[in-house]
Amino acid sequence: NKNIKSVYIMLGLNELGWSYPQVFKIKYKELINEIKKIQPNCKIYIQSIIPVTKSKSDNDEIFNNKNVEKFNKLVKEVAKEENVTYLDVKSTLVDSQGYLPEEASMDGVHLDIDYCEKWLNYLKNNS
């Protein structure tokens, strides 16, 4: 019953090891279309998947930046095909080589508070 003006979505990190990337894309589009049905006038933003640290990427078969890029390509396609806004969150969180800085995360994946604040500021400034 509420009029929601904006919806922000970030999906994909947990799906990096999934062997059905096209199903990921289909399900992402289904979610967006459900939101459009419920809130047809809201602005939908979909966010890039945040890369992992170099040490994590180099030592993990699933949680690595090769997989992040593969799924980010799908997220960009969804944004274009569904006419929603793609937000390149990763651009504000990575180092010069495209990795999440080692100091940004205790486990190489999840952001610490300082990087969560950078993420939030990116969203505020780009939507």
Side-chain angles (χ1 to χ4, degrees):
N1 293 333
K2 293 185 178 186
N3 185 17
I4 297 171
K5 294 180 182 176
S6 302
V7 173
Y8 295 82
I9 306 169
M10 180 190 276
L11 299 174
L13 184 63
N14 291 331
E15 289 73 30
L16 292 181
W18 208 22
S19 47
Y20 305 103
Q22 289 305 314
V23 174
F24 166 80
K25 185 176 172 182
I26 290 166
K27 294 297 183 184
Y28 212 138
K29 290 170 90 169
E30 287 176 2
L31 173 63
I32 290 168
N33 285 308
E34 275 302 306
I35 294 168
K36 287 177 177 179
K37 282 184 203 172
I38 296 167
Q39 291 289 328
N41 297 318
C42 78
K43 178 87 172 168
I44 299 173
Y45 299 92
I46 59 176
Q47 302 170 63
S48 64
I49 302 166
I50 298 169
V52 298
T53 62
K54 181 169 179 13
S55 61
K56 183 69 169 179
S57 188
D58 289 348
N59 295 297
D60 198 299
E61 291 183 26
I62 294 171
F63 296 101
N64 59 60
N65 285 352
K66 181 180 176 185
N67 283 338
V68 168
E69 284 306 312
K70 177 173 80 173
F71 277 82
N72 271 340
K73 181 178 181 226
L74 296 172
V75 174
K76 286 179 191 175
E77 290 172 8
V78 168
K80 183 176 181 180
E81 292 167 13
E82 294 301 317
N83 196 31
V84 297
T85 302
Y86 176 80
L87 295 173
D88 186 16
V89 174
K90 72 178 180 111
S91 66
T92 198
L93 300 173
V94 296
D95 62 19
S96 62
Q97 295 182 327
Y99 294 99
L100 185 65
E102 296 293 332
E103 71 273 7
S105 173
M106 295 280 291
D107 62 3
V109 177
H110 299 95
L111 301 177
D112 70 11
I113 187 106
D114 292 335
Y115 278 79
C116 285
E117 288 175 4
K118 286 183 181 191
W119 178 9
L120 178 60
N121 287 331
Y122 176 87
L123 295 178
K124 287 179 180 178
N125 293 324
N126 291 280
S127 53

